[in-house]
Amino acid sequence: MLVPHHSVLKQLPPFARLSEIEITEVLRSAVPRRYPAGSVVFEQGAAALHFSVLLNGRLRVTQVTPTGEQVVVRIVNPGDIFGIARALRLHTYPGTATAVVESLALSWPMEQWEPLVERYPSFAASAIRVIGERLLEAQSRIREISTEVVERRVGHTVLRLVQQSGVREAEGIRIDFPISKQDLAEMAGTTLHTVSRILTAWEHAGLVDTGRQKLMVKDPHRLLLVADGIEPGLLG
Amino acid sequence: MLVPHHSVLKQLPPFARLSEIEITEVLRSAVPRRYPAGSVVFEQGAAALHFSVLLNGRLRVTQVTPTGEQVVVRIVNPGDIFGIARALRLHTYPGTATAVVESLALSWPMEQWEPLVERYPSFAASAIRVIGERLLEAQSRIREISTEVVERRVGHTVLRLVQQSGVREAEGIRIDFPISKQDLAEMAGTTLHTVSRILTAWEHAGLVDTGRQKLMVKDPHRLLLVADGIEPGLLG
DNA sequence: CGGATTGTTGAGGATACTCAAGTTAGGTGG
DNA sequence: CCACCTAACTTGAGTATCCTCAACAATCCG
């Protein structure tokens, strides 16, 4: 497999401020990896041996509780850093990453983390920002799950997907990777049944278009009104 | 007011690997600030002008939702960095910090953040770790709120307080700052009424001792069993 | 075409919330 | 130091929300 060209890395914020020579240097210890759809990228509890950047595709990161319930922690989009357990002084991955579509990542041995952070201040600053954004997102989710009724929670979950993984199309904004009702439920802190009922109601109201692992938001503005509780819910 | 001595800063991880001279330099732009119990340290939405380290006391960081409900984001303990909005490229504070007891902090102008991160790689690494720990904690809360019944959620909330702010005493572990049932509710994603009922049940079972803004865990081990769902709940 | 995965829909019921009323504790000021 | 006032807490009753359980339908894939 071809080692990615400098220009690919140069696009990504963590590496944007590095020189050509530095990027060459950084790329020396990187290995590209391909993950077929459905394959496991790393597993919760396994030794954290690599950190990576997703070049294309999508990953779904999940955690399972001791009692077996699953929670979707986040979706990894192209350009995102992932698997940085070492930055948190963890020796094992806190979650499981699965490729939802065929994906390509650039992967470094975990020992390279400290040198990168120490040598390239702009890399460190970018890492702080990335983790900080995830923290803000996590706190939003906590706020939502704690204070909002299910329908609004699902609304915010869908809107977050729209922002992070939506592509504009003729009839609306499509979530451009396969996502099941179960996934949505595990993101919103509810059950697949409740998500199904809510999306059906929204579909009748013309807010969304859904199908098996498909989701398109036709009226983001009105969905926002529902999610923010300005417009009443659409459940029977 | 007295400017803190080097040795105070030297104890804190973010500064531990700096030399005497560097610490002197860093202290030059720092200002100590005193906050009376109940006073507001910074307010959600206000311009983020300072970041700080808590020297002693406790802060409670909250967020209010657009609809007015409040959520407790975290408790700031001595030694913690707080108010680092700038690291996340925010220009305003995402939450409100209130001193729950008289507190003392060391405070830097926000413009000092970038120089510190760029100049002292060990400071950057420490910042990454601190934010990462908060992220892990936030994800634990999401997992708990999403999957656990209230009693277990409250259990985990109390246990987290024990770990972060508990002091060992003769009869158990005391949370050593004033914490109301309302606070606990806003941490666990429930109501003050439910927290009250649960704590009363636990008190009868000898797990805890509660009072007005007081909380002591007498049997942490058994509380853990309840929180983890190994032992059945104690609610009537 | 058949099996498996994903999704739909209904009925019933438990959990935890809301609403309400009262109690206790602590701080404040006279 | 006591009386008062407020904030914190307790407890009960009724009920809404959303979960669980169940059966079935649709879609995809080999």
Short mmCIF file of all heavy atoms in Angstrom, two decimals, chain A residues 180-181 193 196-197 200 212-213, chain C residues 4-11:
data_model
loop_
_atom_site.label_atom_id
_atom_site.label_comp_id
_atom_site.label_asym_id
_atom_site.label_seq_id
_atom_site.Cartn_x
_atom_site.Cartn_y
_atom_site.Cartn_z
N SER A 180 -27.69 2.84 12.36
CA SER A 180 -28.92 2.14 12.72
C SER A 180 -29.66 2.88 13.82
O SER A 180 -29.10 3.75 14.50
CB SER A 180 -28.59 0.73 13.19
OG SER A 180 -27.89 0.79 14.42
N LYS A 181 -30.91 2.53 13.99
CA LYS A 181 -31.72 3.09 15.08
C LYS A 181 -31.09 2.73 16.43
O LYS A 181 -31.12 3.51 17.37
CB LYS A 181 -33.14 2.54 15.02
CG LYS A 181 -33.83 2.70 13.67
CD LYS A 181 -34.39 4.08 13.48
CE LYS A 181 -35.23 4.22 12.22
NZ LYS A 181 -34.48 4.18 10.97
N HIS A 193 -36.50 1.15 20.31
CA HIS A 193 -37.95 1.25 20.10
C HIS A 193 -38.40 2.71 20.13
O HIS A 193 -39.16 3.16 19.28
CB HIS A 193 -38.69 0.46 21.17
CG HIS A 193 -38.16 -0.92 21.36
ND1 HIS A 193 -38.56 -1.98 20.59
CD2 HIS A 193 -37.21 -1.41 22.19
CE1 HIS A 193 -37.91 -3.07 20.95
NE2 HIS A 193 -37.07 -2.74 21.92
N SER A 196 -37.26 4.55 17.08
CA SER A 196 -38.08 4.19 15.94
C SER A 196 -39.40 4.97 15.92
O SER A 196 -39.79 5.54 14.91
CB SER A 196 -38.36 2.68 15.97
OG SER A 196 -39.22 2.32 14.91
N ARG A 197 -40.05 5.00 17.07
CA ARG A 197 -41.32 5.74 17.16
C ARG A 197 -41.13 7.22 16.85
O ARG A 197 -41.91 7.83 16.12
CB ARG A 197 -41.90 5.60 18.57
CG ARG A 197 -42.51 4.24 18.84
CD ARG A 197 -43.10 4.19 20.24
NE ARG A 197 -42.52 3.10 21.03
CZ ARG A 197 -43.03 1.88 21.09
NH1 ARG A 197 -44.09 1.57 20.41
NH2 ARG A 197 -42.44 0.95 21.83
N THR A 200 -40.37 7.83 13.15
CA THR A 200 -41.59 7.63 12.36
C THR A 200 -42.47 8.88 12.42
O THR A 200 -42.97 9.36 11.40
CB THR A 200 -42.37 6.40 12.88
OG1 THR A 200 -41.53 5.26 12.80
CG2 THR A 200 -43.63 6.17 12.06
N ARG A 212 -33.52 1.69 6.42
CA ARG A 212 -32.63 0.77 7.10
C ARG A 212 -31.22 1.33 7.07
O ARG A 212 -30.58 1.39 6.02
CB ARG A 212 -32.71 -0.58 6.38
CG ARG A 212 -32.02 -1.71 7.07
CD ARG A 212 -31.94 -2.87 6.08
NE ARG A 212 -31.17 -3.98 6.60
CZ ARG A 212 -31.68 -4.97 7.30
NH1 ARG A 212 -32.98 -4.99 7.57
NH2 ARG A 212 -30.91 -5.96 7.73
N GLN A 213 -30.74 1.75 8.20
CA GLN A 213 -29.42 2.33 8.35
C GLN A 213 -29.22 3.60 7.51
O GLN A 213 -28.09 3.96 7.16
CB GLN A 213 -28.31 1.32 8.00
CG GLN A 213 -28.46 0.03 8.77
CD GLN A 213 -27.12 -0.60 9.12
OE1 GLN A 213 -26.44 -0.15 10.03
NE2 GLN A 213 -26.74 -1.62 8.40
P DA C 4 -29.94 -17.84 10.55
OP1 DA C 4 -28.83 -18.62 11.16
OP2 DA C 4 -31.31 -17.92 11.07
"O5'" DA C 4 -29.49 -16.32 10.49
"C5'" DA C 4 -28.53 -15.89 9.51
"C4'" DA C 4 -28.45 -14.37 9.55
"O4'" DA C 4 -29.51 -13.81 8.75
"C3'" DA C 4 -28.61 -13.79 10.95
"O3'" DA C 4 -27.70 -12.71 11.09
"C2'" DA C 4 -30.06 -13.31 10.97
"C1'" DA C 4 -30.25 -12.88 9.51
N9 DA C 4 -31.63 -12.92 9.05
C8 DA C 4 -32.59 -13.85 9.34
N7 DA C 4 -33.75 -13.62 8.77
C5 DA C 4 -33.53 -12.44 8.05
C6 DA C 4 -34.37 -11.67 7.22
N6 DA C 4 -35.65 -11.98 6.97
N1 DA C 4 -33.85 -10.56 6.67
C2 DA C 4 -32.56 -10.25 6.93
N3 DA C 4 -31.68 -10.91 7.68
C4 DA C 4 -32.23 -12.00 8.22
P DT C 5 -27.35 -12.11 12.50
OP1 DT C 5 -25.94 -12.42 12.74
OP2 DT C 5 -28.40 -12.53 13.45
"O5'" DT C 5 -27.49 -10.53 12.26
"C5'" DT C 5 -27.13 -9.99 11.00
"C4'" DT C 5 -28.04 -8.84 10.66
"O4'" DT C 5 -29.36 -9.32 10.31
"C3'" DT C 5 -28.26 -7.83 11.79
"O3'" DT C 5 -27.81 -6.57 11.32
"C2'" DT C 5 -29.77 -7.85 12.04
"C1'" DT C 5 -30.29 -8.34 10.70
N1 DT C 5 -31.63 -8.97 10.70
C2 DT C 5 -32.64 -8.43 9.91
O2 DT C 5 -32.46 -7.45 9.21
N3 DT C 5 -33.84 -9.09 9.96
C4 DT C 5 -34.15 -10.20 10.72
O4 DT C 5 -35.28 -10.70 10.69
C5 DT C 5 -33.08 -10.71 11.54
C7 DT C 5 -33.30 -11.92 12.40
C6 DT C 5 -31.88 -10.08 11.49
P DT C 6 -27.72 -5.29 12.21
OP1 DT C 6 -26.62 -4.47 11.68
OP2 DT C 6 -27.76 -5.72 13.62
"O5'" DT C 6 -29.10 -4.55 11.89
"C5'" DT C 6 -29.37 -4.15 10.56
"C4'" DT C 6 -30.79 -3.64 10.47
"O4'" DT C 6 -31.73 -4.73 10.59
"C3'" DT C 6 -31.17 -2.63 11.56
"O3'" DT C 6 -31.49 -1.41 10.94
"C2'" DT C 6 -32.36 -3.27 12.28
"C1'" DT C 6 -32.88 -4.24 11.24
N1 DT C 6 -33.61 -5.41 11.78
C2 DT C 6 -34.87 -5.71 11.30
O2 DT C 6 -35.43 -5.07 10.43
N3 DT C 6 -35.47 -6.82 11.86
C4 DT C 6 -34.94 -7.63 12.85
O4 DT C 6 -35.57 -8.60 13.28
C5 DT C 6 -33.62 -7.26 13.31
C7 DT C 6 -32.95 -8.07 14.38
C6 DT C 6 -33.02 -6.18 12.77
P DG C 7 -32.02 -0.16 11.79
OP1 DG C 7 -31.68 1.07 11.05
OP2 DG C 7 -31.60 -0.35 13.18
"O5'" DG C 7 -33.60 -0.34 11.71
"C5'" DG C 7 -34.23 -0.39 10.44
"C4'" DG C 7 -35.70 -0.67 10.61
"O4'" DG C 7 -35.87 -1.99 11.19
"C3'" DG C 7 -36.44 0.29 11.54
"O3'" DG C 7 -37.52 0.84 10.80
"C2'" DG C 7 -36.90 -0.56 12.71
"C1'" DG C 7 -36.96 -1.95 12.08
N9 DG C 7 -36.82 -3.06 13.00
C8 DG C 7 -35.73 -3.39 13.78
N7 DG C 7 -35.92 -4.48 14.49
C5 DG C 7 -37.21 -4.89 14.15
C6 DG C 7 -37.96 -6.00 14.60
O6 DG C 7 -37.62 -6.87 15.40
N1 DG C 7 -39.23 -6.04 14.00
C2 DG C 7 -39.69 -5.13 13.08
N2 DG C 7 -40.92 -5.32 12.62
N3 DG C 7 -38.99 -4.08 12.66
C4 DG C 7 -37.78 -4.02 13.24
P DT C 8 -38.45 1.93 11.47
OP1 DT C 8 -38.86 2.86 10.41
OP2 DT C 8 -37.83 2.42 12.72
"O5'" DT C 8 -39.72 1.07 11.85
"C5'" DT C 8 -40.49 0.47 10.82
"C4'" DT C 8 -41.72 -0.18 11.41
"O4'" DT C 8 -41.31 -1.28 12.26
"C3'" DT C 8 -42.59 0.73 12.28
"O3'" DT C 8 -43.89 0.73 11.71
"C2'" DT C 8 -42.55 0.11 13.67
"C1'" DT C 8 -42.17 -1.34 13.38
N1 DT C 8 -41.40 -2.05 14.42
C2 DT C 8 -41.92 -3.21 14.96
O2 DT C 8 -43.00 -3.66 14.63
N3 DT C 8 -41.13 -3.82 15.89
C4 DT C 8 -39.88 -3.39 16.34
O4 DT C 8 -39.27 -4.04 17.18
C5 DT C 8 -39.40 -2.18 15.74
C7 DT C 8 -38.07 -1.64 16.15
C6 DT C 8 -40.16 -1.57 14.82
P DT C 9 -44.93 1.85 12.06
OP1 DT C 9 -45.79 2.01 10.87
OP2 DT C 9 -44.24 3.00 12.65
"O5'" DT C 9 -45.79 1.16 13.20
"C5'" DT C 9 -46.32 -0.13 12.97
"C4'" DT C 9 -46.73 -0.75 14.28
"O4'" DT C 9 -45.59 -1.28 14.97
"C3'" DT C 9 -47.40 0.22 15.27
"O3'" DT C 9 -48.76 -0.18 15.39
"C2'" DT C 9 -46.62 0.05 16.57
"C1'" DT C 9 -45.91 -1.28 16.34
N1 DT C 9 -44.65 -1.48 17.08
C2 DT C 9 -44.46 -2.68 17.74
O2 DT C 9 -45.29 -3.57 17.74
N3 DT C 9 -43.26 -2.80 18.39
C4 DT C 9 -42.26 -1.84 18.45
O4 DT C 9 -41.23 -2.06 19.07
C5 DT C 9 -42.51 -0.62 17.75
C7 DT C 9 -41.50 0.48 17.75
C6 DT C 9 -43.69 -0.49 17.10
P DG C 10 -49.80 0.70 16.22
OP1 DG C 10 -51.05 0.76 15.45
OP2 DG C 10 -49.15 1.93 16.70
"O5'" DG C 10 -50.04 -0.27 17.48
"C5'" DG C 10 -50.34 -1.65 17.23
"C4'" DG C 10 -50.37 -2.40 18.54
"O4'" DG C 10 -49.01 -2.69 18.96
"C3'" DG C 10 -51.02 -1.64 19.70
"O3'" DG C 10 -51.99 -2.49 20.32
"C2'" DG C 10 -49.87 -1.34 20.65
"C1'" DG C 10 -48.87 -2.45 20.34
N9 DG C 10 -47.49 -2.09 20.59
C8 DG C 10 -46.80 -1.00 20.11
N7 DG C 10 -45.56 -0.96 20.49
C5 DG C 10 -45.41 -2.09 21.28
C6 DG C 10 -44.28 -2.58 21.97
O6 DG C 10 -43.15 -2.08 22.02
N1 DG C 10 -44.55 -3.77 22.65
C2 DG C 10 -45.77 -4.40 22.65
N2 DG C 10 -45.86 -5.52 23.37
N3 DG C 10 -46.84 -3.96 22.01
C4 DG C 10 -46.59 -2.80 21.35
P DA C 11 -53.00 -1.88 21.36
OP1 DA C 11 -54.36 -2.32 20.96
OP2 DA C 11 -52.72 -0.45 21.57
"O5'" DA C 11 -52.56 -2.68 22.66
"C5'" DA C 11 -52.06 -4.02 22.55
"C4'" DA C 11 -51.54 -4.45 23.91
"O4'" DA C 11 -50.14 -4.09 24.03
"C3'" DA C 11 -52.24 -3.80 25.09
"O3'" DA C 11 -52.38 -4.78 26.10
"C2'" DA C 11 -51.30 -2.66 25.47
"C1'" DA C 11 -49.94 -3.30 25.18
N9 DA C 11 -48.86 -2.35 24.87
C8 DA C 11 -48.93 -1.19 24.14
N7 DA C 11 -47.78 -0.57 24.01
C5 DA C 11 -46.90 -1.37 24.72
C6 DA C 11 -45.52 -1.26 24.97
N6 DA C 11 -44.76 -0.26 24.51
N1 DA C 11 -44.93 -2.23 25.70
C2 DA C 11 -45.69 -3.24 26.16
N3 DA C 11 -47.00 -3.46 25.99
C4 DA C 11 -47.55 -2.47 25.25
#
